[in-house]
Amino acid sequence: MKIAIGCDHGGFDHKNAIKDHLTERGFDVTDFGIYENKSVDYPDIALKVGTAVANSTCDLGILICGTGIGMSLAANKIKGIRAAACSEHFSAKYTRLHNNSNILCLGGRVIGVGTALELVDLFVDTPFEGGRHQRRIDKISNIENN
Ligand code: RB5
């Protein structure tokens, strides 16, 4: 599985830890930056990761900013992206099961690295349930397309 990852200055240490963790687990991780801990605008990184997922260069994405919220707002503007800002385990799992979310957004100032790694594992290991949930996602797509 190919995973795109990116962060702003609010999530730099988390991004590197998640990248190392996923690589150790055998995932093919593409790092869209930032590569040094300096202040950047999170929509620029959300656009890069979101585009890689939307055009199927990568299967799933991980975005980290201070809260996870700015990244999710920006990524969800890209057609085909379902980005979920999560800070606990239940949501990280169910946003895959029910929403077929394709980007997980985390807050580097909200959760510690240990929790972030657990949420990432739940996200990448949980399949979409399909069925009635596909109908609901189709309705999201209809909103997007009209
Ligand atoms: C950057 O200071 C901060 O605003 C950003 O990382 C993020 O939390 C925005 O949602």
Side-chain angles (χ1 to χ4, degrees):
M1 183 187 290
K2 293 184 179 178
I3 298 180
I5 193 166
C7 69
D8 74 355
H9 50 286
F12 186 70
D13 292 338
H14 285 57
K15 187 264 288 179
N16 288 332
I18 294 165
K19 177 184 171 184
D20 290 347
H21 175 73
L22 289 173
T23 302
E24 280 170 21
R25 283 197 54 193
F27 291 96
D28 181 354
V29 182
T30 303
D31 184 352
F32 288 91
I34 51 178
Y35 308 111
E36 57 184 288
N37 199 355
K38 61 177 185 183
S39 181
V40 295
D41 297 335
Y42 58 81
D44 298 336
I45 305 297
L47 178 61
K48 290 179 184 178
V49 169
T51 300
V53 174
N55 68 21
S56 299
T57 300
C58 293
D59 303 297
L60 295 174
I62 312 282
L63 284 165
I64 313 102
C65 61
T67 60
I69 296 171
M71 285 293 197
S72 66
L73 293 175
N76 277 316
K77 297 297 182 188
I78 300 168
K79 190 171 181 178
I81 292 303
R82 292 176 298 280
C86 299
S87 57
E88 37 69 36
H89 299 72
F90 186 89
S91 297
K93 179 176 180 177
Y94 274 79
T95 201
R96 287 286 307 131
L97 280 173
H98 287 189
N99 310 132
N100 199 14
S101 286
N102 47 20
I103 294 184
L104 174 67
C105 300
L106 301 170
R109 296 169 184 160
V110 179
I111 58 173
V113 168
T115 300
L117 297 182
E118 291 176 7
L119 301 192
V120 164
D121 281 344
L122 277 172
F123 188 79
V124 300
D125 291 339
T126 302
F128 176 49
E129 213 171 75
R132 67 190 185 282
H133 303 295
Q134 184 60 55
R135 182 181 71 245
R136 293 160 184 167
I137 289 166
D138 290 343
K139 291 190 177 187
I140 296 175
S141 300
N142 286 342
I143 294 170
E144 192 173 54
N145 291 327
N146 292 296

